[in-house]
Amino acid sequence: MAPGPWSREQDGRFAAGVLGVLADNVLAQAVLAHRHPDMWAVTTELAFDFFAPPVEGQKLTASATVLVVDAGGGGSRGRIIDESGGAVADVTFWGRFVEGVPQAVVDQHRAPSLEVRPGSLAELLGLERDGDQMVLRERSELVNPLGMMHGGVLVPTLEQAAVELGARPEGMVTASMRINYLRPASGDILVAVRQIHRGRTFASAEATALRPDGKMAAWALLTFRSTGR
Ligand SMILES: CC(C)(COP(=O)(O)OP(=O)(O)OC[C@H]1O[C@@H](n2cnc3c(N)ncnc32)[C@H](O)[C@@H]1OP(=O)(O)O)[C@@H](O)C(=O)NCCC(=O)NCCSC(=O)Cc1ccccc1
């Protein structure tokens, strides 16, 4: 993946959450390699530790090793590096095996790519403010081969909702994100954010993605950290 204008926030800073699709695809593959031929997998948890923002124009590469696999699913751990081998993020993935291989996989459907469009990150995601919440409008390119919202897309969605709704204090960066995928997400997704801590040097917030039926599809804990004194 090559970061570009689409991966920047309004103030020009790199949006760490855009690593979500790359990480989810690569770490899921490490577990999918061990699936029963009649099964597929869905992501249940992703945990990111973000290090330095990448240098623009440099390609980012994700690698993954499987941690454990059993009949129900498995976990993998991975790292995203820049062209000089510098660590950009570490990621842990957990997924569940589900019955049936999606037809889109058999037909070699391409996973959504956050590189598919020019423009800003806000335009790419199509995240809109609605009062004290944000809305992610349903779009076909945001879904995975199973027809549900791609887990990786919810990473920048929840991060940017937290940023837009003011949960990340000035001068702080997104240091980590842990996301639980509780139910398949589809339709317009409403994102609510709650500040948990707002200190001088670090802050935390939770972000929840709600489906049109009001049920929670995903829950994330975000940590922001000051890079100054
Ligand atoms: C199924 C499970 C993983 C585990 O369930 P558990 O927690 O053990 O408990 P439980 O069985 O009680 O179910 C809980 C609730 O879930 C509902 N439900 C269950 N099954 C289905 C179903 N088939 N369809 C519809 N809904 C289903 C179920 O009715 C219940 O809801 P309710 O309380 O009645 O309203 C669930 O947490 C889940 O679907 N999470 C979202 C995962 C997700 O969307 N990940 C991201 C996308 S993957 C990706 O993009 C990565 C990738 C990319 C490329 C390649 C590969 C991968």
Side-chain angles (χ1 to χ4, degrees):
M1 161 184 143
W6 62 271
S7 53
R8 285 195 231 118
E9 294 174 355
Q10 276 181 354
D11 64 2
R13 287 195 291 168
F14 179 70
V18 301
L19 300 173
V21 171
L22 174 69
D24 198 16
N25 281 342
V26 172
L27 274 80
Q29 284 304 326
V31 171
L32 278 167
H34 300 268
R35 73 188 162 94
H36 184 277
D38 296 337
M39 300 189 94
W40 195 244
V42 292
T43 309
T44 55
E45 297 161 67
L46 278 177
F48 293 84
D49 281 302
F50 300 113
F51 308 126
V55 177
E56 184 136 346
Q58 279 207 12
K59 251 194 176 161
L60 301 179
T61 307
S63 58
T65 3
V66 72
L67 292 172
V68 59
V69 178
D70 58 29
S76 58
R77 180 162 292 157
R79 173 163 282 194
I80 298 174
I81 58 168
D82 62 21
E83 284 176 17
S84 54
V88 174
D90 273 356
V91 195
T92 307
F93 164 98
W94 291 96
R96 265 330 271 177
F97 292 135
V98 289
E99 294 288 340
V101 177
Q103 191 57 39
V105 171
V106 179
D107 297 344
Q108 304 198 330
H109 159 96
R110 285 194 51 183
S113 162
L114 285 181
E115 293 173 84
V116 291
R117 288 178 176 197
S120 69
L121 177 59
E123 286 163 3
L124 181 63
L125 284 175
L127 198 58
E128 298 164 14
R129 189 160 186 152
D130 180 7
D132 57 358
Q133 299 184 322
M134 304 294 291
V135 186
L136 181 71
R137 301 272 172 222
E138 182 171 40
R139 292 210 320 270
S140 60
E141 65 260 44
L142 302 183
V143 303
N144 70 7
L146 289 161
M148 59 183 74
M149 185 164 294
H150 193 287
V153 170
L154 284 168
V155 182
T157 299
L158 296 175
E159 184 200 24
Q160 290 310 302
V163 172
E164 291 291 320
L165 297 171
R168 187 175 71 189
E170 277 294 306
M172 293 198 194
V173 296
T174 307
S176 70
M177 274 183 85
R178 300 191 70 90
I179 306 176
N180 289 2
Y181 297 92
L182 312 173
R183 290 181 183 84
S186 59
D188 291 352
I189 301 298
L190 208 57
V191 184
V193 172
R194 185 170 72 95
Q195 188 98 54
I196 290 167
H197 173 72
R198 199 179 183 94
R200 218 170 30 82
T201 63
F202 91 107
S204 15
E206 67 170 11
T208 49
L210 300 173
R211 305 190 306 198
D213 64 3
K215 291 190 177 182
M216 200 183 288
W219 173 88
L221 175 64
L222 299 99
T223 302
F224 309 114
R225 194 178 296 138
S226 163
T227 53
R229 291 179 61 173

